[in-house]
Amino acid sequence: MKLPGHDAIARQADEHLVTHKVKLPRKLVEHPFRQVGKRLSWALVVLVATALIVWADSDGYNDNSDGSVDLLDAFYYATVTLSTTGYGDITPVSDAARLTNIFVITPLRVLFLIILVGTTLEALTERTREEWRLNRWRSTLRDHTVVVGFGTKGRSALRTVCATGLRKEQVVVVDPSGKVIEAATADGFAGVMGDATRSEVLKRAEVHKARQIIIATQRDDTAVLVALTARQLNKSAKIVAAVREEENAPLLKQSGADAVITSASAAGRLLGLSVLSPAAGMVMEDLISQGSGLDIVERPVIRAEVGKGPREVDDLVVSVLRGHRVLGYDDPAVGGLELTDRLITIVRATPGNQVAPDARPLPRD
């Protein structure tokens, strides 16, 4: 075993205590600070323009304190006027100044209020809209896929399942890195930022309602803790995990994973196969790349195939899944196909069959 002790695991959990946050995919918009900065700049431009207009016609205004209006008084008048405070200590007295207030200052006052109030209303509206989207997302999310870890393994796994027809709206990515979650949402996936070994983070990803969970963390001990937590929250979901060291695979299965892939060993076997036969390596690479060339899929047996042998069906059958046993196509125990069997087949990838294996349309009897 290469797992650290309990103390090390506890320290790792403490180090990953980050505020968990759900982020839904959205269109790329300008940064809020930049938007506010632009609006404040426009408001300042309006204020300066108003003050200069008043100062240019200072003879048409009267200041109750000293009778004259200088540049500072002009800025003061513009400030109290645009903010609709209006103390009345500086007033337009000439006809030209009053006409300027009617046709210039008043529209500038309205524009000033629109800029400032509009910023506040937009912020409140955006927050309300985001909260509504989040609540709607929680209420409609069912039978989705949770991906823990959005590194190279997680991205590759998602590309594969999405190539078979899984919609991006049915995927939730969990990762402790804010930058990784930003990248996931930019790709169209919902994201939860936080430590997936903590149950409250997985609950925010609605793991208890998930259909399948992909664990692609960087560390094997983290994968074990995630599998334990996920299985505790969801007893029926299919959990598939990746580990670096083959000796840690049994522990992950004991933790609740249905299937464990040893990334280092799998890559090594593919390398060895490519050395022995480059063509065979190309075929294997094609098989594990969903959506192009040849695809390996799982489907149920239809009534027209019941009683037939694996070689008598239209598809190229590799194995037969009967109960919890996986039987080779040439295994004498297979006999005739049964209605409850499932077939592992190799098919040519076409736009018509790039759907999720469990939902693949079957030929009519």
Side-chain angles (χ1 to χ4, degrees):
M1 281 300 301
K2 295 191 177 182
L3 295 178
H6 295 291
D7 293 339
I9 295 176
R11 286 197 302 271
Q12 182 202 2
D14 291 337
E15 291 171 358
H16 288 83
L17 288 177
V18 294
T19 303
H20 37 273
K21 181 179 179 182
V22 179
K23 299 197 68 175
L24 300 181
R26 55 184 300 175
K27 296 180 180 178
L28 293 177
V29 296
E30 195 173 22
H31 195 280
F33 288 153
R34 188 172 298 175
Q35 294 183 23
V36 173
K38 282 186 176 181
R39 297 193 180 208
L40 289 178
S41 300
W42 279 110
L44 182 61
V45 169
V46 173
L47 177 63
V48 172
T50 304
L52 293 177
I53 292 172
V54 173
W55 185 53
D57 191 23
S58 59
D59 294 338
Y61 291 82
N62 179 59
D63 188 352
N64 294 335
S65 63
D66 56 10
S68 64
V69 176
D70 56 16
L71 183 59
L72 177 60
D73 295 331
F75 270 97
Y76 168 75
Y77 175 78
T79 303
V80 298
T81 300
L82 293 180
S83 62
T84 69
T85 305
Y87 293 115
D89 48 353
I90 299 179
T91 57
V93 293
S94 68
D95 291 341
R98 289 177 176 178
L99 286 173
T100 302
N101 267 264
I102 294 173
F103 294 108
V104 179
I105 303 299
T106 298
L108 288 176
R109 179 189 300 119
V110 174
L111 178 61
F112 186 82
L113 292 176
I114 288 175
I115 291 174
L116 295 186
V117 176
T119 301
T120 303
L121 290 178
E122 183 174 348
L124 293 175
T125 302
E126 180 64 24
R127 180 176 296 180
T128 302
R129 180 165 55 244
E130 190 67 20
E131 189 68 23
W132 179 83
R133 288 183 65 210
L134 185 57
N135 291 334
R136 183 174 179 272
W137 173 78
R138 291 185 188 280
S139 62
T140 58
L141 197 62
R142 294 286 189 282
D143 294 332
H144 58 289
T145 299
V146 176
V147 180
V148 180
F150 200 60
T152 302
K153 291 180 291 187
R155 291 173 188 266
S156 299
L158 268 184
R159 280 197 295 267
T160 299
V161 294
C162 287
T164 61
L166 182 68
R167 294 179 293 111
K168 290 186 176 182
E169 295 82 3
Q170 287 295 105
V171 176
V172 182
V173 175
V174 181
D175 199 281
S177 171
K179 292 183 179 180
V180 170
I181 294 300
E182 290 287 348
T185 54
D187 287 344
F189 306 110
V192 177
M193 186 178 69
D195 183 3
T197 62
R198 301 174 61 84
S199 58
E200 59 265 29
V201 175
L202 292 182
K203 286 179 181 178
R204 284 185 173 269
E206 304 293 320
V207 162
H208 54 285
K209 297 187 293 184
R211 184 180 185 183
Q212 48 199 12
I213 302 168
I214 300 173
I215 302 175
T217 57
Q218 297 298 321
R219 294 170 56 98
D220 290 359
D221 55 335
T222 303
V224 171
L225 291 174
V226 173
L228 282 170
T229 308
R231 182 56 74 198
Q232 183 181 18
L233 295 174
N234 192 326
K235 303 296 184 183
S236 59
K238 179 188 295 183
I239 299 179
V240 179
V243 293
R244 292 178 178 272
E245 302 295 336
E246 191 167 1
E247 58 204 60
N248 293 332
L251 183 57
L252 252 172
K253 289 186 177 181
Q254 293 175 13
S255 302
D258 297 293
V260 180
I261 305 300
T262 307
S263 55
S265 298
R269 284 191 288 268
L270 186 57
L271 283 172
L273 179 62
S274 298
V275 169
L276 296 175
S277 173
M282 291 175 59
V283 172
M284 288 301 301
E285 182 70 21
D286 184 19
L287 286 174
I288 62 178
S289 300
Q290 290 286 331
S292 62
L294 297 175
D295 282 352
I296 184 165
V297 300
E298 176 184 334
R299 69 169 180 85
V301 172
I302 61 175
R303 292 188 179 277
E305 297 170 340
V306 174
K308 294 182 178 179
R311 287 306 188 194
E312 298 177 295
V313 302
D314 295 334
D315 293 337
L316 178 59
V317 177
V318 178
S319 299
V320 177
L321 179 60
R322 179 169 295 170
H324 296 288
R325 296 186 300 163
V326 179
L327 305 174
Y329 71 93
D330 57 348
D331 194 321
V334 174
L337 296 177
E338 301 175 2
L339 192 60
T340 56
D341 291 340
R342 296 184 68 84
L343 303 178
I344 309 296
T345 64
I346 296 177
V347 298
R348 174 66 60 180
T350 62
N353 64 16
Q354 290 183 17
V355 296
D358 290 341
R360 181 187 176 201
L362 302 176
R364 298 184 180 275
D365 293 348

